[in-house]
Amino acid sequence: MNTTHHSPATTHAVSIHCMASEKTRAIVLKLVEFSESSCVVTLFTEDFGKVGALAKGARRPKSAFEGALDLLALVRIVFLRKSADALDLLTEAKLERRFRSAQRELARLYAGYYVAELLAELTDTGDPHPELFVAADQTLFALDQGAAVPETVLQFELAALRLLGHMPSLAECVVCGRPVVGEGRVPFGMTVGGVLCENCRPGKRGVVSVSSGVIAALRQAATDAEAGRELEGSTRGELRAVMSNYFAHLVGRRLRMSEYLGVQAG
Ligand SMILES: [Zn+2]
């Protein structure tokens, strides 16, 4: 340690030397005040998955982040990876696209928050899912462009389930693989992850009875990437309840934003 005065910039350059500097695109999931001038930001990055980073000086008017650290914004970042449990250090963030729905419509804002919550809860720090990043980016963009909210949210949920290996079985019994062709109501195992035939249903925990119309709507939405089709009003409420219940089982508790998804335009 030498005794001459270091400007902050010099000290910074020295510390960069022993850490890996990474560049990627990211979606801002969460911002928490850390000190008077800094905050801790949770990002879902394209190349490194979820990242928790300290943004020093982010709360000062003239920071290296120039107001880019806005909830749900798409940003291009540079960060320094720390080892073990230490927070990474965010050194740069440039805004690519702000999530504008916040100023337009509550239902869109809530849908955006829900996307962020799903990403934060369903993925692990440092576990990359580039396709999920693309799906999330497209979803936020679609919400901003005025796409139908319930259909857009459902498409993202199904994409996330598929890409993270949690897609429920919707046509065959999740236990024995026999086709389940339900009229009326179909048993759906929340814990085992899918529909059940009458033979496999007994003794299973977390089984709910779902209308065959909702199962059919889910199956159709899962196989058809086009989000344009409108969900029927009668199906919509039950479908929301099933998805909310299923994600609660996956995460281990009810998602905070799921109850706000029924909010209509306005
Ligand atoms: Zn079965």
Side-chain angles (χ1 to χ4, degrees):
M1 188 77 194
N2 98 39
T3 50
T4 53
H5 175 75
H6 281 296
S7 73
T10 322
T11 319
H12 202 68
V14 170
S15 61
I16 285 172
H17 203 66
C18 43
M19 290 182 283
S21 171
E22 309 282 11
K23 282 182 190 179
T24 186
R25 294 195 301 162
I27 294 165
V28 179
L29 300 185
K30 204 188 284 183
L31 287 161
V32 178
E33 291 180 12
F34 179 76
S35 69
E36 216 168 290
S37 63
S38 304
C39 62
V40 172
V41 54
T42 306
L43 301 153
F44 189 68
T45 70
E46 184 162 28
D47 302 310
F48 308 95
K50 193 168 64 179
V51 163
L54 181 63
K56 286 185 180 171
R59 304 186 61 213
R60 291 202 190 100
K62 284 186 177 177
S63 74
F65 311 111
E66 300 167 57
L69 297 181
D70 198 20
L71 217 51
L72 298 168
L74 177 68
V75 292
R76 198 168 276 282
I77 61 162
V78 179
F79 71 104
L80 301 174
R81 298 178 94 177
K82 295 275 188 93
S83 55
D85 292 335
L87 280 171
D88 294 331
L89 191 64
L90 192 69
T91 57
E92 210 182 297
K94 291 229 183 314
L95 183 70
E96 293 236 315
R97 194 183 67 235
R98 215 178 281 285
F99 184 64
R100 298 191 176 280
S101 294
Q103 290 109 45
R104 288 176 37 201
E105 206 181 297
L106 216 45
R108 289 176 193 282
L109 177 64
Y110 289 159
Y113 285 168
Y114 180 66
V115 167
E117 190 179 15
L118 282 183
L119 292 172
E121 295 296 332
L122 291 174
T123 69
D124 294 317
T125 300
D127 182 21
H129 289 284
E131 283 184 80
L132 183 58
F133 174 85
V134 171
D137 177 35
Q138 287 173 348
T139 300
L140 294 174
F141 184 66
L143 287 169
D144 257 359
Q145 296 297 302
V149 176
E151 288 79 2
T152 306
V153 167
L154 179 62
Q155 283 299 328
F156 179 71
E157 290 175 313
L158 293 171
L161 291 175
R162 184 170 53 80
L163 294 169
L164 296 171
H166 296 304
M167 187 58 132
S169 180
L170 298 167
E172 290 96 30
C173 170
V174 65
V175 176
C176 72
R178 196 181 306 174
V180 176
V181 276
E183 296 279 311
R185 304 193 74 82
V186 181
F188 184 101
M190 287 291 163
T191 314
V192 288
V195 294
L196 290 159
C197 74
E198 286 307 323
N199 290 341
C200 298
R201 177 183 186 161
K204 295 286 177 305
R205 285 164 177 269
V207 178
V208 297
S209 159
V210 179
S211 76
S212 51
V214 165
I215 297 292
L218 279 174
R219 209 159 45 205
Q220 202 186 0
T223 50
D224 180 2
E226 292 303 312
R229 198 186 39 260
E230 183 144 348
L231 296 166
E232 279 178 41
S234 56
T235 319
R236 195 178 282 184
E238 189 187 353
L239 188 144
R240 220 12 52 230
V242 170
M243 294 306 277
S244 161
N245 200 342
Y246 188 61
F247 279 109
H249 270 81
L250 281 180
V251 172
R253 59 175 181 78
R254 220 155 254 290
L255 292 175
R256 219 161 25 97
M257 289 313 299
S258 61
E259 65 178 289
Y260 295 97
L261 290 177
V263 171
Q264 293 304 307

